[in-house]
Amino acid sequence: MPDFTVNRRLKKIIGEVFHLTPLEFSSKYNDKKGQKTYNILNEVNGISNKMLEEILTAYPQINKVWLLTGEGEMLNSEEKKYEAHKDELIYEQLIEQLKKRISDKDELIKSLKEQIDLLKVHQKNNVPQEGNAMNADAAGFLDK
């Protein structure tokens, strides 16, 4: 019976680290339709040396020793640091974008409040005063 432990480790790294479908993962090497990769991940076939090299060339961050033996880290240490740093940068960028949006919304609210206040003043100044029938008539507020 074939040993599919390498296949299982490949399946784990595709799903847990790269978060890709087999087709998305295989698009970077000589398996454009993903059939070879699908067969490996579903333990229909073992992984050939040629396919292993194609995968490792397309994804140099995968630790070959881990993939073959399960020992060590899934990713090469420099790639792992890069991925963690990249995630931190994305998080910081998202926070800055949110702060900017909140600031923009605050400015919009302030501007709208100022416009409302101006409209209230304008409305108050244009409404005829009680007892001033002549102004009300001139403004067209009296029924004839």
Side-chain angles (χ1 to χ4, degrees):
M1 183 168 176
D3 180 10
F4 290 115
T5 54
V6 174
N7 301 45
R8 292 181 195 125
R9 282 192 285 275
L10 182 62
K11 186 174 188 174
K12 181 175 181 162
I13 203 164
I14 291 171
E16 293 179 16
V17 175
F18 294 107
H19 305 288
L20 297 173
T21 65
L23 182 59
E24 291 168 331
F25 184 81
S26 66
S27 68
K28 285 182 73 174
Y29 54 90
N30 190 23
D31 187 18
K32 301 301 179 210
K33 294 184 180 180
Q35 190 61 49
K36 294 176 198 171
T37 304
Y38 176 83
N39 288 342
I40 290 167
L41 299 180
N42 288 295
E43 300 179 10
V44 174
N45 297 329
I47 187 166
S48 68
N49 288 333
K50 181 180 177 190
M51 180 67 117
L52 178 67
E53 289 308 314
E54 288 176 4
I55 291 170
L56 293 173
T57 300
Y59 295 93
Q61 60 270 49
I62 297 175
N63 181 347
K64 182 177 183 176
V65 173
W66 175 83
L67 187 58
L68 293 174
T69 67
E71 295 177 16
E73 299 290 325
M74 282 188 206
L75 299 178
N76 294 317
S77 59
E78 288 305 311
E79 292 297 331
K80 195 172 181 181
K81 289 178 192 172
Y82 170 76
E83 290 297 320
H85 182 65
K86 187 172 90 174
D87 289 345
E88 288 173 18
L89 289 175
I90 291 169
Y91 179 72
E92 289 172 9
Q93 288 172 345
L94 288 173
I95 288 174
E96 289 305 314
Q97 288 174 1
L98 287 173
K99 285 179 181 178
K100 172 92 171 87
R101 285 185 178 180
I102 290 169
S103 175
D104 290 348
K105 297 295 181 189
D106 287 345
E107 288 179 25
L108 177 62
I109 290 169
K110 182 180 176 185
S111 172
L112 290 172
K113 283 181 179 179
E114 290 170 357
Q115 288 179 19
I116 290 169
D117 290 342
L118 286 172
L119 288 171
K120 285 179 181 178
V121 169
H122 182 71
Q123 182 182 21
K124 184 178 179 182
N125 290 337
N126 287 332
V127 172
Q129 300 296 319
E130 260 186 73
N132 194 344
M134 194 191 278
N135 286 343
D137 186 35
F141 288 107
L142 292 179
D143 291 329
K144 296 191 179 183

